[in-house]
Amino acid sequence: MTRPRFWTRFRSALAALGVLSAAVGVIALAVPANASAAPQAAPAASAMTKVVQYATAIRNGHSEHGWRGGKVPYSWDGGHGAKPGPTLGSCVGYTGSIHPCPADKTVGTDCSGFVRWVYDLAIGHDVLGPGSTNDELATGHLHKTAKPQPGDLVYYGSSTTNTHHVGIYIGGGKMIDALETGTNVETDSVQAASDLLGYFHYTA
């Protein structure tokens, strides 16, 4: 009598183990091999959040790498040194409304120098380079988007090879930018200039 009862229990135990093994297999298949890796979109989203944070901090006069703190003035050709950050400007090619040109006595940034600096702080290296707004668009890192997000760049001009201004979009139809001589880095409407070319998103 004990022998059949033992084998019955033994077969039941084996069957239970089989079900457990199958369940473990299903779970293993359901979990991706790289489940511990961060989603691909996360770094970009984090970088764009940092772009807005740095731009806002600079607008508010906080000290950042390359700047002791205080309002950052617009300076024609400022921010185009070997390293990103405010520099003494230049009066070469100056078209501002204030005369005589104050740029060669003003440490600050122009519009492209400002976004170059902020993106370097947020991303960790000089991704836009020391050139003009046209040069920034020619890097291959900026792609036009119909659905702008905070941190994207707003360019102005008639084409990607004929631009004259750029700002950092912060949402709600607003941008932080270095607009013109006589102003500081500030918040402006994206309608501050009439020839908005479009919004551009950075990709590595």
Side-chain angles (χ1 to χ4, degrees), residues 40-129:
Q40 291 297 317
S46 175
M48 292 302 99
T49 297
K50 289 181 180 179
V51 166
V52 174
Q53 290 173 343
Y54 277 113
T56 302
I58 291 169
R59 180 202 62 192
N60 292 342
H62 295 182
S63 62
E64 297 296 345
H65 183 71
W67 186 248
R68 65 187 179 281
K71 295 294 186 181
V72 179
Y74 179 98
S75 183
W76 180 271
D77 204 32
H80 296 279
K83 295 181 180 180
T87 64
L88 197 64
S90 168
C91 288
V92 176
Y94 176 73
T95 61
S97 61
I98 296 176
H99 296 279
C101 164
D104 57 0
K105 300 177 180 63
T106 305
V107 174
T109 69
D110 63 10
C111 62
S112 52
F114 170 63
V115 302
R116 174 202 185 195
W117 179 29
V118 172
Y119 266 62
D120 174 69
L121 290 170
I123 295 173
H125 58 284
D126 188 12
V127 295
L128 297 181

Side-chain angles (χ1 to χ4, degrees), residues 137 144-145 148 153-157 165-167 195-200:
L137 285 169
K144 197 168 186 178
T145 177
L153 296 179
V154 194
Y155 281 88
Y156 297 80
H165 187 59
V166 61
D195 55 349
L196 192 156
L197 177 64
Y199 300 87
F200 291 77

Side-chain angles (χ1 to χ4, degrees), residues 174-189:
K174 302 289 184 181
M175 64 179 172
I176 297 177
D177 64 339
L179 185 61
E180 58 187 357
T181 302
T183 68
N184 299 315
V185 169
E186 62 188 15
T187 299
D188 286 305
S189 167

